Structure formats: structure tokens, C-alpha cells
Amino acid sequence: MNTKMSDYLMQTYARLPVAFVRGEGAWLFDEQGEKYLDALAGIAVNGLGHAHPRLVSALCEQAGRLIHTSNLYQIREQERLALRLCSLSGLDRAFFCNSGAEANEAAIKIARLVAHNRGIENPAIVVMEKSFHGRTLATLSATGNRKVQAGFEPLVTGFVRVPFGSAEAVATLASHHKNIVAVLVEPYQGEGGVQIPQADYLTKLRRICDENAWLLMLDEVQTGIGRTGHWFAFQHGSILPDVMTLAKGLGSGVPIGACLARGIAAETFVPGKHGSTFGGNPFACAAALTTLQVMEDDLLLENAAKIGAFIRADLLQRLEGVAGLREIRGQGLIIGIELDRPCGDLVKQALAEKMLINVTNDTVVRLLPPLIMTHEEAALLTEKLAALIRAFLE
Ligand SMILES: *Cc1c(COP(=O)(O)O)cnc(C)c1O
């Protein structure tokens, strides 16, 4: 029997016992009016923080003018957003959808259609251990986490898995598999525990893909849109992907995903091959266009790089020599603090201290603060978090 209101929800999440009613910048307020420092930003979504005045007014303006028309008609906001994302990334065309999983579905469909057009039967996509690509059947099949897959068999076939971070493992596949068409990889793994590969990893993957005529497809759903201190994580190096997927930070919380592509991959979808009722509607595109404009005007890439470097350095200084601390790593405002033991309990302890953090891959405290976080807020975060981690490990 349903006794509480929350019983009417399918129990897909073990939710923390707090409900927020209002936000402002890097702060959230619960039903009792208690104030929390948000170091998670809705899982890398609220890059502009909460209730950013320019976003609020742009959304009000757009909602009062036009929310949705369907993709049966031309949508100027969508065209403008595609142009903006292509010029920021160096890619050629964009397809818009409503989530990260959907963006990756589009990428997987592009890879399969490219293979089909080349006469390759049973095409395969190389994916990584510990990866996360979403919860739809194809994307959970691509995901390198058994917990995400268990019970949903039969999985979608056509994925070949190798360890993350090893370009050699990918190169080895080239000699055995004649039907590979693409490599799908996160530049830095988020859900997998904030895993940062060697700096030349993508360059090496690019070379292998070029040598074998495979598509290099980057899942930047978590790392894209300024999170790492560049617009896209691949821009820390000098390569271009063939396909890139985006979602989380793109619409600042208004659902929107994108699959960008260049070259042959950008020309593969023709009318009838893919679509979305909501994808790229004027409202969602206004949210994304405003997000990108505020990021540029307010120098949020620079801020993400600067505040992220401060948080990592300050945490390292405060936790130096503490037994049980394995590593502090990250790039910009995606930060992982790996401990030597499972630390899921730290999330509740942080909540009690009015701080929102996350733990992923059992032993990694993950921080994904809003890109607008100030130095003062970051200093408060590191002070409180370091004390919490120190007490937890002692
Ligand atoms: C969150 C995430 C996804 C899935 O995005 P949804 O919007 O939840 O479907 C896919 N890939 C990566 C790397 C992610 O972090």
C-alpha cells in the first residue's frame, strides 16, 4: 500500500531525505529554509548555478513567445544553437535530443548506418571498461558496469570492450576484428570514478581510428560545456573527434542533448533515419544558447579551470599524509578524491554538514561544482570537506 506521497514513484533512486524548494548561485534551500552549498550542480547540469538571472529572464521571455513547434518546421533557435556548437567544437552538424542517453543512441545509430552504407555486416563499436553511456538498452549495453546491465538481458550486441586508458588495447583489436566501425569513449570517465587517462590517449585513439577508417566518438555528456575548463574536454589536446555527444550542462537543467558530427558521420542521417518530437525545441535551445552566452561573457571556462585547480591543491594540502587517501585528481571542476575504502556514507555526512557532494565507483568522492563557484565558496567547501574526509578516515 502507498502510505507516503513518494510511494507513488517507481523506486529507481535511493533518495536522500531532503527536498529543495529554491536555489541561488551555488546554494540550495530546503523546505525548512536550511541552506546547502552545492558541489554537485545537479550532476554537472547547473553550470550557471541556480536561478541565474540571465537564464531566468531568457526562459521567461522564450516561454512567453514560443515553447514548441515540432521538427516538421524550421526552428531558428535550433539552427543558431547548431551553428554555435559547431563553431565552438570544429564539427559540422548537430542533431538535438533530450538527454545524454539519447545523444549516445544517435551516435551509435550513426556508426551503424555508416557501417551499413559501407557494406559492413554485424558492425561493432569499441567501448571501455567502467564507462557510462546511459540507461536505454543500447547505451546500457555500451556501458562498462554490470550493475547497470544486470536483469536487462538480452543486451544489444555489437560492442567490443577494452580497458579504459589503453590505446594499445584498442590497437590490438584492429588486427582481430574486421567489422569495427567506431570507438566510443569518455575523454575522462565520470561515473567510473573520475578517471583521467594519459594526456596523449585521445591522440593515440585518433591515429588508430584514422589508420582503420573508424569513427572516433566522444561521450562528452559529463565533460563537455566548460566542465573541465575548456568548452569540450577533447580541446585539452589537438585532435578532433568525428562524433561528440553532449547533454548535462548544455541546457542548465532544461532537458536537451546533442549529437555533433563532422565529415561522413555528419552526412549519414537523411530524412526518416532518426528523429525526436521534443528534440531541439525553441525553449530548450534558448536555454542552451543563453547558457553558452553567459559562460562566454562571464569567463566561466577560466573560472572552472582556476577554481578547480584551487580545490584540488587546497584539498591535497589539507589531506596530505592522511592514511587512506589514495589520490586527488581531476580537470577543471570535475574532481575525484579516491579513498582506500567504500565511502558512500560521506554523502549523508556531508548533507548533515549542509554540503552536497557525491560518491561514485564506491571509493571516489566526486565534486562537480557549478562553474560560477567563487573562491570564497570553494574555500568553504575544501575546509568543510577536508575535515569530513579526515574524520571519516581516522
Ligand atoms: C550522465 C551521462 C550519460 C547519460 O545521460 P542522461 O541524460 O542521464 O541520459 C551518458 N554519458 C555520460 C558520460 C554521462 O555522464
Side-chain angles (χ1 to χ4, degrees):
M1 240 252 305
N2 294 345
T3 55
K4 320 189 280 300
M5 235 174 17
S6 60
D7 289 342
Y8 289 90
L9 296 173
M10 289 197 192
Q11 303 291 297
T12 49
Y13 284 91
R15 295 171 195 266
L16 291 160
V18 63
F20 298 108
V21 294
R22 180 169 81 80
E24 197 181 320
W27 299 89
L28 279 167
F29 298 81
D30 71 10
E31 291 167 309
Q32 284 72 42
E34 293 279 358
K35 184 177 171 182
Y36 299 75
L37 181 56
D38 184 4
L40 191 57
I43 320 182
V45 168
N46 305 105
L48 304 187
H50 302 281
H52 192 288
R54 283 185 63 190
L55 183 68
V56 172
S57 73
L59 293 181
C60 289
E61 199 276 330
Q62 186 64 50
R65 198 149 50 83
L66 192 64
I67 291 178
H68 177 88
T69 58
S70 92
N71 286 301
L72 301 180
Y73 310 102
Q74 310 206 352
I75 301 174
R76 298 297 169 230
E77 293 84 355
Q78 194 180 113
E79 294 166 5
R80 274 177 33 226
L81 180 58
L83 167 61
R84 191 79 208 280
L85 288 171
C86 286
S87 55
L88 291 174
S89 64
L91 304 192
D92 295 338
R93 293 182 193 268
F95 168 81
F96 292 104
C97 50
N98 315 287
S99 68
E102 272 185 81
N104 287 328
E105 285 278 341
I108 292 164
K109 283 181 70 174
I110 286 172
R112 287 198 172 186
L113 198 54
V114 164
H116 174 84
N117 293 346
R118 287 180 185 160
I120 299 172
E121 279 175 39
N122 290 317
I125 298 172
V126 180
V127 292
M128 306 302 156
E129 289 172 9
K130 287 191 180 177
S131 62
F132 184 79
H133 298 297
R135 300 284 193 160
T136 62
L137 278 172
T139 59
L140 75 83
S141 301
T143 289
N145 180 345
R146 272 304 296 163
K147 277 193 213 156
V148 171
Q149 300 173 337
F152 300 109
E153 294 81 4
L155 300 182
V156 173
T157 57
F159 297 105
V160 182
R161 200 172 302 284
V162 296
F164 178 70
S166 170
E168 294 67 36
V170 178
T172 306
L173 289 176
S175 44
H176 306 345
H177 289 261
K178 290 290 155 243
N179 53 352
I180 290 172
V181 288
V183 175
L184 172 64
V185 60
E186 297 154 88
Y188 310 134
Q189 288 186 334
E191 304 304 307
V194 188
Q195 310 293 346
I196 314 280
Q198 300 221 307
D200 60 356
Y201 181 50
L202 291 185
T203 307
K204 287 181 172 171
L205 291 184
R206 178 72 271 175
R207 193 176 315 131
I208 297 165
C209 286
D210 287 341
E211 285 166 5
N212 294 282
W214 301 344
L215 302 175
L216 179 59
M217 310 202 297
L218 299 183
D219 179 344
E220 294 236 22
V221 168
Q222 188 158 156
T223 55
I225 314 297
R227 179 57 43 194
T228 70
H230 284 293
W231 286 106
F232 311 106
F234 78 79
Q235 293 173 330
H236 290 278
S238 53
I239 60 113
L240 276 184
D242 300 294
V243 175
M244 171 175 67
T245 57
L246 300 171
K248 289 192 166 84
L250 181 55
S252 292
V254 176
I256 180 168
C259 178
L260 275 70
R262 74 184 170 99
I264 180 86
E267 310 303 325
T268 303
F269 280 152
V270 293
K273 288 295 180 196
H274 199 46
S276 168
T277 298
F278 292 133
N281 78 19
F283 188 73
C285 290
L289 282 163
T290 306
T291 298
L292 299 175
Q293 197 56 51
V294 172
M295 286 179 60
E296 183 179 301
D297 294 347
D298 294 356
L299 306 178
L300 295 187
L301 302 183
E302 291 81 350
N303 195 61
K306 189 183 75 185
I307 299 294
F310 164 75
I311 291 174
R312 290 195 303 278
D314 197 53
L315 282 176
L316 193 59
Q317 196 174 15
R318 290 172 183 277
L319 294 172
E320 189 100 76
V322 172
L325 175 72
R326 280 260 169 81
E327 190 182 29
I328 298 177
R329 55 182 178 253
Q331 184 76 258
L333 285 173
I334 177 168
I335 297 167
I337 305 146
E338 182 165 354
L339 308 186
D340 68 351
R341 65 199 77 167
C343 57
D345 213 44
L346 272 173
V347 173
K348 280 185 201 128
Q349 294 180 19
L351 187 71
E353 297 285 320
K354 305 287 180 280
M355 209 168 25
L356 306 180
I357 63 165
N358 174 251
V359 166
T360 185
N361 203 34
D362 286 344
T363 58
V364 182
V365 176
R366 178 175 50 163
L367 305 179
L368 297 163
L371 309 182
I372 48 101
M373 184 169 269
T374 65
H375 188 272
E376 293 69 37
E377 289 159 346
L380 182 65
L381 172 68
T382 53
E383 187 192 337
K384 290 174 75 170
L385 183 61
L388 208 62
I389 291 174
R390 188 180 274 274
F392 178 80
L393 290 173
E394 267 164 8

